[in-house]
Amino acid sequence: MSFNGALAVCQSGFEGLLAREMAGIGLGGASSGPGWALAAPAPEPVPGRALDSLRRAAFPHAVLESPVAVAGESVNALAQGVMELFAGGLRGERIDSPWPCAFAGCPGAAGLGRRAASVEAAFKALLRRKLGRVAKLASAERPRVGPARGLFVWFTDFGRVQVARAAHMNGPSRMADDDQAPSRSYLKVEESYAIIGAEPRPGEAVCDLGAAPGGWSYSAAKRGARVVAVDNGPMKGGALGHPLIEHRRADAFGFGPGGSAAYDWLFCDMLEDPRRVLESIVRPWLDGGWCRRFVINLKFGRVDPITLLSDLRSPDSPFATRAAGVRIVHLYHDREEFTVTGTVA
């Protein structure tokens, strides 16, 4: 079975690492630009599972599947090219429910957002004239996680777009600020709940290692969970004095539940060497069954991130031996770090 190509989009500035990760799963020779990497169509020997692996890769925020390039010097030319491609792909397909219609490009490229908006408006005008019933069902909404079918248009530059009818959303998404949150790290754990498919609930027990200033603890407590926040540093903002947060001034590396106690959630976001966190926190917590679910942030600023990914996915990693449903993701709100979620097997 041949591989029909894929466009993976990521956080701007990390496209080089995205291309390296793609090469590691058998999609070598990917071209890239700000916020994207493109693997061209190819016959075998591209591995048959390459697309599945790309859907589970760490750096892609979304994967546009079997994309087709459309070029045009003007807004109207691009809109017409997208319209022709979309209409041609509708033959034999009936659309009777809302479908996602997304036009986007790297947000850091000056003026590209305005270009995308202009082409989108011109395309929708054409769509209303030619396919009014289909146009009424177009929606800006799309799933946070999982497959989607509709129209996905990504601007690789001002005069060229990649167009796909199918996409896979890996979960990263911009989250809303909370004035009571002690720090912006709060946004990372909020974002991670869609990845793991669950969030802390009233009455559940959460252990937050390296908690200060308390953003992750606050996120759990605002949902009604009871939190043990472990850090020698102070709590701030909405975490300070919160009735559901017990602040223990202790070293997170030496903290354990003791006896047969276990937590529903383990949170860990520490500015430490990721291998030390993996061996001194993740392994004993997962080996001991001290938690049911986990959200763990691992910094890769001082290590090679692709090598770290290989270590995290190796057969003897605690994530491989003791956990299920593990996802390693570079979130929208992550910088030089991975967020790992899963359940303890």
Side-chain angles (χ1 to χ4, degrees):
M1 179 178 179
S2 61
F3 172 71
N4 293 323
L7 179 79
V9 301
C10 68
Q11 189 178 150
S12 181
F14 292 87
E15 52 277 347
L17 290 170
L18 169 61
R20 284 182 60 195
E21 187 180 19
M22 291 170 71
I25 60 178
L27 301 176
S31 58
S32 64
W36 60 272
L38 175 67
E44 291 292 349
V46 171
R49 292 192 297 271
L51 185 56
D52 286 338
S53 296
L54 186 56
R55 292 167 179 159
R56 296 191 297 271
F59 283 102
H61 290 185
V63 178
L64 277 61
E65 301 174 3
S66 303
V68 177
V70 172
E73 295 184 359
S74 68
V75 166
N76 288 336
L78 284 170
Q80 183 64 43
V82 173
M83 181 65 212
E84 291 173 0
L85 192 63
F86 179 66
L90 287 179
R91 294 190 183 97
E93 179 178 352
R94 179 175 178 80
I95 296 180
D96 52 13
S97 61
W99 54 276
C101 181
F103 285 64
C106 176
L112 195 58
R114 291 192 299 274
R115 179 73 158 186
S118 297
V119 175
E120 181 178 11
F123 165 79
K124 288 184 174 178
L126 288 172
L127 187 66
R128 286 192 295 271
R129 289 200 299 269
K130 296 185 176 183
L131 298 167
R133 185 187 65 81
V134 173
K136 291 178 181 179
L137 294 171
S139 171
E141 297 296 322
R142 55 187 184 271
R144 279 277 308 275
V145 180
R149 183 161 180 80
L151 178 66
F152 306 91
V153 181
W154 181 268
F155 285 70
T156 54
D157 60 40
F158 280 77
R160 191 176 183 86
V161 298
Q162 294 288 334
V163 183
R165 293 296 316 283
H168 192 278
M169 306 300 166
N170 285 5
S173 181
R174 185 172 184 174
M175 306 304 294
D177 287 317
D178 185 321
D179 292 339
Q180 292 298 309
S183 68
R184 290 190 62 79
S185 68
Y186 159 86
L187 298 171
K188 292 183 290 190
V189 76
E190 290 283 311
E191 190 178 354
S192 73
Y193 296 145
I195 307 294
I196 197 171
E199 58 184 48
R201 297 182 298 179
E204 288 190 332
V206 178
C207 181
D208 185 4
L209 299 179
W216 289 30
S217 295
Y218 170 74
S219 173
K222 73 182 288 187
R223 289 169 167 78
R226 296 175 289 106
V227 183
V228 174
V230 183
D231 201 305
N232 282 312
M235 297 289 104
K236 297 180 181 179
L240 180 62
H242 195 291
L244 291 176
I245 299 175
E246 177 190 349
H247 182 199
R248 298 192 189 180
R249 291 185 176 271
D251 182 359
F253 284 100
F255 184 84
S260 59
Y263 290 87
D264 295 291
W265 292 81
L266 170 65
F267 286 172
C268 183
D269 182 16
M270 301 172 64
L271 191 60
E272 295 283 349
D273 185 297
R275 294 185 180 90
R276 185 186 180 202
V277 174
L278 189 66
E279 293 303 320
S280 299
I281 291 179
V282 177
R283 191 174 295 280
W285 273 80
L286 270 58
D287 283 351
W290 295 345
C291 61
R292 292 176 50 236
R293 294 188 176 96
F294 54 84
V295 180
I296 297 167
N297 198 267
L298 298 170
K299 317 298 180 184
F300 59 70
R302 296 182 181 179
V303 302
D304 177 63
I306 303 302
T307 301
L308 177 59
L309 278 176
S310 179
D311 292 344
L312 299 179
R313 292 169 174 156
S314 69
D316 60 350
S317 162
F319 295 124
T321 60
R322 297 295 186 185
V326 175
R327 288 289 311 280
I328 306 168
V329 184
H330 186 240
L331 297 174
Y332 179 94
H333 294 286
D334 279 341
R335 292 307 301 165
E336 294 184 324
E337 56 204 341
F338 295 123
T339 300
V340 188
T341 67
T343 59
V344 177

